[in-house]
Amino acid sequence: LEELFVRQGEYEFCETDDAIAYYVQNSPKENIIIFSSDGDLTQLVSEHTKLFNPSHSKMYQPNDTFVYDHEQILIQNIKLVKMICGDPSDNIAGIKNMGVRRLTSMVPEIKNQEVTMDFVLERFNILFEEDKDNKLIQNFLTGVTKYGVLGEEFFDVNTKIVSLENPFLTDEARESIDSLINDLIDPEGRSYKNTMKMMMEDGIFLLLPKSDDAWIKFLNPFLRLTRKEKNKKLIKI
């Protein structure tokens, strides 16, 4: 990948979604496509950033509907849903007994209208006035999780855990990602011949289709990227 001018990074003690979030937040207004099945990254979708989910075989952009836990959710609301319902795969505790289906039945706007936590809280206060004995509503309003009653702290904690607004990265990771965004790639010593040699040594050629133009077809998607990187000029203002 280095020989093909593909910018990349790997950072110790850092989560991939935080690294991607930092890149998206600090890159110039380029058109970005995130390739991931991670639902957390839906919160990065914007005018300039799309998300291709290989599990769904679909490209997502703002105002699209996203299937989350078997429910149709407006993509802008996925973060909010995860904050409320939690996510066992990420060890995030949600409101006790509050699943995505139960939440959307109580706040159906989540499916097709961008909503805020204040909007949801107001809805649950209204529901509480109508049914003060409803245990699930009580759990939500008092922040009850499997760990106990957390009150308002529940919303503060889960917001910090789920939100990618302030990526949790080391200083070294931030500096490296800034370099990926801003610095020119040195073309010295890079070549397709090196790529071919490495692929032969690693046996990757054995995985390519058995045809005379297999190498060309493999290389073709990288040609535009390589030309772009070689011709990039550093402009100082």
Side-chain angles (χ1 to χ4, degrees), residues 167-196:
F168 185 73
L169 296 171
T170 62
D171 291 339
E172 291 80 4
R174 292 174 185 272
E175 291 175 6
S176 181
I177 296 173
D178 285 336
S179 177
L180 287 180
I181 295 171
N182 301 310
D183 294 349
L184 298 177
I185 290 181
D186 184 1
E188 186 69 28
R190 302 175 193 264
S191 74
Y192 296 146
K193 289 182 179 180
N194 291 344
T195 309
M196 185 181 296

Side-chain angles (χ1 to χ4, degrees), residues 14-61:
C14 301
E15 294 283 351
T16 301
D17 52 1
D18 287 297
I20 294 174
Y22 184 81
Y23 181 96
V24 170
Q25 294 163 3
N26 291 277
S27 66
K29 295 299 181 181
E30 60 178 318
N31 292 319
I32 298 172
I33 297 176
I34 301 171
F35 185 93
S36 176
S37 298
D38 189 344
D40 286 343
L41 296 172
T42 55
Q43 60 188 284
L44 299 178
V45 171
S46 67
E47 178 185 357
H48 298 284
T49 303
K50 297 179 181 179
L51 172 68
F52 182 82
N53 186 310
S55 297
H56 300 173
S57 297
K58 182 177 179 180
M59 184 83 74
Y60 290 97
Q61 53 191 355

